[in-house]
């Protein structure tokens, strides 16, 4: 007994030292080099989403709300709460102020690795794959430093999900082996509260895991036991979902409201293409095999195709599992799943991604299976050396030819083979050779050599994946738009303007969530579940990033800023801007007030249908919003008239000289403009899209990068862009003259617009009380019916009450809200009522009562059984 305890203690010490060594090699150079664990790679979620979100939930705790006007144009807060506040590993992060959260993020990462290391070791021990300390250490280390976790550990909430995933597998084994079910329910319920998206993938995997486990472990198949245990396990999963209901249901509601989720793709049975097949295979070799930059040589980009890598050793050894297995069922089950996953890779991806898109984030499910396979194969090799040698030699040749074939494919497809990819190939080949040599050594030292090689392989791959990518130097914090002088501008406005207003930035176009750190109401927003209302606004007004979760703001669409209370603008230049007056500056940040901004809530006496609006020339669309409200369902507009004249506003062509250069077009104005300039660009028939920039230059010797505006043209189309900078001397188009057939400059006559704005300001919506989830005001109507438009993004959970009677809100101006009000004084209330929270509370309460009843019944049963047993004993 003492020998076993001593051996177990030595095994734990070896495992702890291994984890500390690999973690230190991988991550501590970040601290030594004064780097932040904030990636700026494809997507840049760690910088653009997670950092602002962590700052947001820290501030949310002081003012809890279910809807927040400062999340873009307004959004539910449930996504931020689930992904960032409920996550227990984030609690240490929110103790730091936003500019120092990178410290908390690294501490949080260490805690994740500690918990993951513990549950991985417990899981491997629970599966009883080997009594050998080195084998158990290798198997558990495969899970902890898998390519998936190392590559996506910078996706902080996804890393949390992975930790919970392994914990769920361990708790499931405790349930299956010991009938201890409560831990499984609690851990799964907590995960469901944080992320229904990944919970779906894990629940789907658990069904496959149960089948695979049952048929591979049990030599005799008993149908009754199989179905009965399966139903019990399914019941526990449902109970876990029920316990999470208070957050699960609202989160699911928001996910389903996003156009990103739905029947975009249909499940097919097409065999994977050669490109997809090879990408799938190579994904398992190394978390660095496809390069450490954006040149992914495979299906999708490697950021979207996480890594199944658990070490080259595993790939070398796993075929041993199929040599003379105890039961042919292993062939049938594992083989069927493996063949389907590989040959029908796109279909598998669609199933695990809820049929919404083809991505490979779900491949984390392979990691524990491959890690266990590595450990079991090592154990088999230990007990049957000759057989293992033959299989490994054959497998080595197969893998070698796969690599050669992939290299040939890269060159055949003319994909750049950069140095990172080359080094990765070289590293894998060298590793395979070294493993092969180690297998020829004496049995006593073989596993020590394999262990050393494995740790070296794991550490080097992890080091390259983490440290060779775009980490952010700590010294750059002061230059970020999150922490620049615009914070002083926001503080100044908070002290001097107590009303509701939005702030737009004439710079920092890519930092879409900066308002979440600086705590102001803006217009930009990035969220993975951006609602259909945002998508509609992008489409109807031809904004940048159409059909996208990246809401990049209004760019040159000043008319939208006017109607949504965008009262202030921050710029890095002190140009004269139409309709704006500079009122202050803080360093190199200049604050402007928008004189044409309307108050919260404006009245329309006529409307225009979406179809008629879409048929207007793009330069007229913005002007029409000053006259009429764009409505989708005109059946609700009884009593309102449809707009008759859309030609109220005029444009006049202005004189300029044209200079066609090699890669740009210069237009020099004959006299500086006194009104906004409208630029008309007509493209030629081309392949693909024309992308470039334009800007208005007031000083020929100085151009500010923030004055540039993005251009995006399709084939044979006409687009209009607005420059609202005044006194422009030259317009510069950074596009090739060979792609453009015509360019015209117009000056807008703003007098009719200004008059219309003045008229709209005379009929205000008087706000009596304003909160994020409750707005109360009064409006006096002279006509029979008018339409009250409010700049609240449309959401079905918003309810509108006019004079105490609930009225149906309609989608207005693309994705906002409006309600019909009648003649006379109207008392109007807008209230956000998320009923999913109520249903979730009931579901959670009922589920907890069921658990309490089960536990109480069990305790009562045990007491009754013991008392009856004691009574029988006393009689004897």
């Amino acid at each position: 007994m003492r020998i076993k305890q001593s051996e177990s203690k030595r095994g734990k010490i070896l495992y702890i030292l291994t984890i500390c060594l690999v973690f230190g090699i991988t991550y501590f150079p970040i601290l030594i080099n004064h780097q932040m664990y904030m990636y700026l790679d494809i997507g840049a979620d760690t910088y653009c989403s997670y950092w602002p979100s962590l700052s947001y939930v820290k501030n949310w705790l002081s003012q809890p709300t279910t809807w927040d006007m400062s999340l873009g144009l307004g959004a539910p807060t449930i996504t931020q709460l689930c992904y960032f506040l409920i996550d227990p590993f984030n609690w240490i992060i929110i103790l730091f102020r936003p500019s120092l959260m990178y410290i908390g993020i690294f501490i949080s990462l260490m805690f994740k690795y500690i918990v993951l290391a513990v549950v991985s070791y417990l899981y491997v021990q629970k599966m009883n794959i080997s009594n050998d300390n080195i084998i158990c250490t290798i198997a558990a280390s495969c899970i902890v430093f898998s390519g998936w976790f190392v590559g996506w550990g910078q996706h902080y909430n996804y890393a949390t999900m992975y930790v919970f995933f392994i914990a769920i597998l361990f708790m499931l084994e405790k349930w299956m082996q010991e009938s201890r079910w409560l831990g499984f329910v609690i851990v799964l319920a907590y995960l469901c509260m944080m992320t229904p998206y990944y919970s779906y993938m894990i629940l789907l995997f658990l069904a496959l895991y149960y089948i695979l486990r049952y048929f591979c472990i049990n030599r005799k198949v008993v149908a009754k036991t199989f179905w009965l245990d399966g139903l019990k396990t399914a019941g526990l999963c449902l109970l876990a979902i029920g316990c999470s209901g208070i957050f699960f249901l609202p989160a699911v509601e928001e996910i389903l409201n996003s156009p990103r989720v739905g029947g975009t793709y249909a499940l097919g049975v097409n065999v994977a293409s050669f490109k997809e097949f090879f990408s799938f295979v190579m994904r398992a070799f190394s978390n660095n095999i496809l390069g450490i930059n954006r040149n992914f040589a495979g299906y999708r980009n490697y950021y979207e195709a996480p890594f199944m890598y658990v070490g080259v050793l595993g790939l070398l050894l796993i075929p041993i599992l199929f040599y003379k297995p105890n039961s042919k069922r292993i062939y049938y089950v594992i083989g069927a799943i493996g063949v389907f996953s590989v040959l029908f890779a796109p279909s598998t991806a669609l199933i695990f991604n809820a049929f919404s898109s083809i991505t490979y984030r779900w491949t984390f499910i392979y990691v524990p299976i491959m890690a266990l396979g590595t450990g079991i194969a090592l154990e088999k090799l230990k007990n049957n050396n000759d057989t293992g040698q033959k299989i490994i030699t054959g497998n080595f040749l197969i893998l070698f030819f796969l690599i050669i074939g992939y290299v040939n494919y890269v060159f055949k497809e003319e994909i750049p083979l950069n140095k990172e990819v080359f080094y990765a190939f070289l590293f894998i080949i060298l590793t395979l050779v070294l493993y092969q040599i180690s297998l020829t050594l004496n049995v006593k030292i073989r596993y020590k050599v394999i262990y050393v090689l494995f740790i070296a392989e794991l550490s080097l791959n992890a080091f390259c994946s983490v440290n060779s990518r775009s980490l952010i130097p700590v010294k750059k914090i002061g230059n970020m738009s999150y922490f620049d002088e615009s914070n002083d501008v926001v503080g100044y406005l908070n002290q001097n303007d107590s009303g509701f207003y939005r702030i737009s930035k004439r710079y920092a176009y890519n930092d879409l969530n900066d308002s979440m750190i600086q705590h102001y109401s803006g217009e930009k927003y990035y969220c993975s579940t951006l609602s259909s209302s945002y998508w509609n606004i992008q489409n109807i007004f031809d904004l940048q990033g159409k059909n996208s979760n990246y809401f990049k703001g209004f760019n040159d669409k000043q008319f939208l800023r006017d109607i949504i209370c965008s009262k202030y603008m921050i710029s890095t230049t002190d140009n004269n801007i139409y309709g704006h007056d500079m009122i202050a500056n803080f360093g190199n940040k200049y604050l402007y007030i928008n004189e044409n901004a309307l108050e919260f809530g404006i009245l329309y006496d006529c409307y225009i249908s979406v179809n008629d609006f879409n048929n207007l020339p793009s330069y007229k669309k913005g002007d029409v919003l000053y006259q009429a409200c764009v409505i989708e369902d005109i059946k609700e507009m009884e009593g309102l008239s449809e707009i008759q004249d859309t030609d109220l506003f005029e444009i006049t062509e202005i004189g300029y000289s044209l200079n066609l250069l090699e890669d740009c077009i210069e237009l020099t104005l004959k006299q500086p403009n006194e009104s906004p300039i409208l630029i008309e660009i007509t493209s030629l028939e081309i392949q693909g899209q024309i992308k470039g920039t334009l800007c208005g230059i007031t000083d020929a010797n100085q151009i500010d990068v923030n004055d540039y505006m993005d251009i995006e043209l399709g084939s044979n189309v006409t687009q209009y862009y607005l420059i609202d900078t005044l006194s422009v001397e030259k317009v510069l188009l950074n596009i090739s003259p060979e792609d453009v057939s015509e360019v015209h400059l117009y000056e807008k006559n703003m007098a009719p617009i200004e008059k219309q704005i003045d008229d709209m300001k005379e009929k205000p919506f008087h706000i009596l009380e304003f909160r994020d989830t409750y707005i109360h005001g009064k409006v006096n109507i002279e006509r029979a019916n008018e339409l009250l438009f409010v700049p609240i993004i449309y959401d079905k959970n918003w309810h509108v009450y006019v004079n105490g009677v609930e009225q149906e809100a309609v989608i207005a101006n693309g994705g906002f809200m409006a309600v019909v009000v009648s003649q006379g004084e109207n008392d109007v209330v807008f209230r956000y009522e998320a009923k999913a929270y109520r249903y979730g509370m009931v579901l959670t309460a009922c589920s907890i009562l069921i658990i309490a009843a089960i536990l109480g019944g069990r305790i009562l049963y045990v007491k009754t059984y013991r008392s009856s047993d004691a009574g029988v004993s006393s009689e004897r």
Side-chain angles (χ1 to χ4, degrees), residues 842-859:
V842 173
L843 183 59
T844 297
C846 292
S847 300
I848 292 175
L849 287 175
I850 291 173
I851 291 176
I854 294 173
L855 293 175
R858 189 172 183 177
I859 293 172

Side-chain angles (χ1 to χ4, degrees), residues 706-809:
N706 294 308
D707 290 332
Y708 282 96
M709 186 185 307
D710 288 330
I711 298 175
E712 189 170 321
L713 294 168
S715 176
N716 197 25
V717 297
T718 298
Q719 288 278 32
Y720 295 87
Y721 299 91
L722 188 71
I723 295 179
D724 56 3
T725 302
L726 304 182
S727 303
V728 170
E729 298 178 1
K730 183 186 294 184
V731 175
L732 181 64
L733 304 178
N734 290 303
I735 54 177
S736 173
E738 296 180 357
D739 295 331
V740 176
S741 63
E742 288 184 276
V743 177
H744 295 283
L745 295 185
Y746 302 92
E747 196 165 8
K748 292 189 70 173
N749 178 10
M750 301 304 294
I753 296 178
E754 292 170 354
K755 182 180 182 304
Q756 193 71 21
I757 290 173
D758 290 339
D759 292 341
M760 298 175 83
K761 287 182 177 180
E762 291 180 358
K763 299 184 291 184
F765 176 49
H766 297 284
I767 304 293
L768 302 177
E769 184 177 356
F770 191 102
R771 300 197 304 269
D772 283 294
T773 57
Y774 181 86
I775 300 165
H776 179 203
K778 292 182 180 293
V779 61
N780 193 21
I781 306 300
E782 297 178 357
R783 291 168 48 88
N785 280 329
E786 291 197 28
L787 198 63
L788 174 62
F789 167 84
V790 289
I792 302 175
I793 203 74
Y794 180 85
D795 187 291
K796 65 181 181 180
N797 287 318
W798 275 100
H799 297 266
V800 187
Y801 302 88
V802 180
N803 296 323
V805 179
E806 184 170 4
Q807 302 290 338
E808 183 177 356

Side-chain angles (χ1 to χ4, degrees), residues 247-267:
F247 292 107
F248 184 82
L249 288 186
V252 169
E253 180 184 51
E254 185 177 1
I255 291 171
L256 295 178
N257 284 337
S258 172
R260 191 176 184 181
V261 180
T264 307
Y265 292 85
L267 178 62

Side-chain angles (χ1 to χ4, degrees), residues 214-225:
Y214 187 88
F215 281 92
C216 291
I217 291 178
N218 297 297
R219 294 187 177 183
K220 185 178 180 181
V221 177
V222 180
K224 182 179 179 181
T225 303

Side-chain angles (χ1 to χ4, degrees), residues 589-633:
K589 300 299 183 291
Y590 300 91
L591 175 62
Y592 293 80
I593 185 169
N594 178 14
E595 299 292 350
N596 292 327
L598 297 167
E599 297 296 328
F600 188 95
I602 55 179
L603 290 170
Y604 286 104
D605 56 14
C606 60
Y607 68 90
I608 182 172
S609 68
V610 170
N611 290 335
D612 290 341
F613 182 81
N614 289 335
N615 290 329
L616 292 174
S618 62
Y619 72 91
K620 287 186 178 183
K621 289 183 177 180
D623 298 337
V624 167
L625 288 191
Y626 297 108
Q627 294 178 280
C629 189
V630 183
I631 297 297
E632 289 189 7
D633 188 2

